Amino acid sequence: MKNKAILIGIIGAVGIAAFLVYRQLRKLMDYKLSFRSVKVKKINMQGIDLTLGLNFENKSDIQVVLSSQKYDVFINNVKISTLTNENDVVIAPNSSTPITFDVSVGSKGIADLIKTTSFTELLNIKKQSLRVDSTLVVKIGSGTKTIKQSSEDLIENWGKK
């Protein structure tokens, strides 16, 4: 009888622990990668230079490490840049961590963009559509998970959200 009570207690404790871990992993997968800012540093016939700001929100009680990041950046559905980062970025539990990167578009990118819109319209950069397709490799304990997300909006709306 005493052994049955101990066994039931152990099974109950393991079940509760498994449920709590499962709940944290669900919260972790409910992360949010959101637009924070866009700063236009330069725009002319030779190129466009932007600084993009994103926030990675970790809603779980588990520390997360972004071990690899890849961002494909599009203006008006024209791919202008691919950015990668292989350095670990630690995201604290229940926090939002800013991620900032620079995007430079050369004259070839400008030529590709002008095929979809006029240079005059392109000069009004804040009215252009900006899409970021992200592929993140997240380290959780000893395992990894690849997360893909696409975010798109007009450049002028990035800072409003």
Side-chain angles (χ1 to χ4, degrees):
M1 185 71 159
K2 186 176 179 182
N3 289 340
K4 280 186 180 181
I6 292 173
L7 183 61
I8 290 171
I10 290 172
I11 290 172
V14 169
I16 290 171
F19 171 74
L20 293 174
V21 168
Y22 170 75
R23 192 172 78 178
Q24 286 305 311
L25 289 176
R26 282 198 46 164
K27 279 186 182 180
L28 178 63
M29 291 302 110
D30 188 26
Y31 77 96
K32 186 175 181 185
L33 187 63
S34 58
F35 298 139
R36 186 179 77 248
S37 64
V38 175
K39 291 182 184 171
V40 179
K41 295 194 273 186
K42 173 184 93 171
I43 181 166
N44 58 35
M45 285 299 286
Q46 286 72 42
I48 300 173
D49 289 335
L50 307 168
T51 299
L52 301 181
L54 302 173
N55 284 328
F56 187 97
E57 185 179 351
N58 178 5
K59 298 179 182 182
S60 74
D61 295 328
I62 301 169
Q63 176 176 290
V64 174
V65 177
L66 300 179
S67 62
S68 173
Q69 304 167 56
K70 177 183 168 196
Y71 302 97
D72 290 321
V73 182
F74 299 80
I75 293 179
N76 296 336
N77 290 319
V78 175
K79 186 175 183 178
I80 59 166
S81 186
T82 297
L83 306 162
T84 59
N85 182 7
E86 299 298 326
N87 298 324
D88 287 352
V89 176
V90 177
I91 311 293
N94 296 308
S95 70
S96 182
T97 300
I99 299 171
T100 304
F101 49 91
D102 293 322
V103 177
S104 292
V105 180
S107 56
K108 181 189 177 321
I110 295 291
D112 291 343
L113 284 169
I114 290 178
K115 292 176 187 173
T116 64
T117 186
S118 71
F119 187 70
T120 306
E121 289 174 337
L122 191 58
L123 284 174
N124 192 1
I125 193 74
K126 292 194 180 271
K127 296 289 184 188
Q128 306 309 311
S129 173
L130 180 64
R131 185 175 92 219
V132 177
D133 293 344
S134 57
T135 304
L136 308 173
V137 178
V138 179
K139 257 193 250 183
I140 309 162
S142 62
T144 61
K145 173 131 179 87
T146 300
I147 300 171
K148 294 184 179 201
Q149 178 180 327
S150 183
S151 303
E152 183 173 9
D153 204 344
L154 293 178
I155 291 175
E156 68 183 353
N157 294 335
W158 273 47
K160 295 179 183 178
K161 293 183 178 180

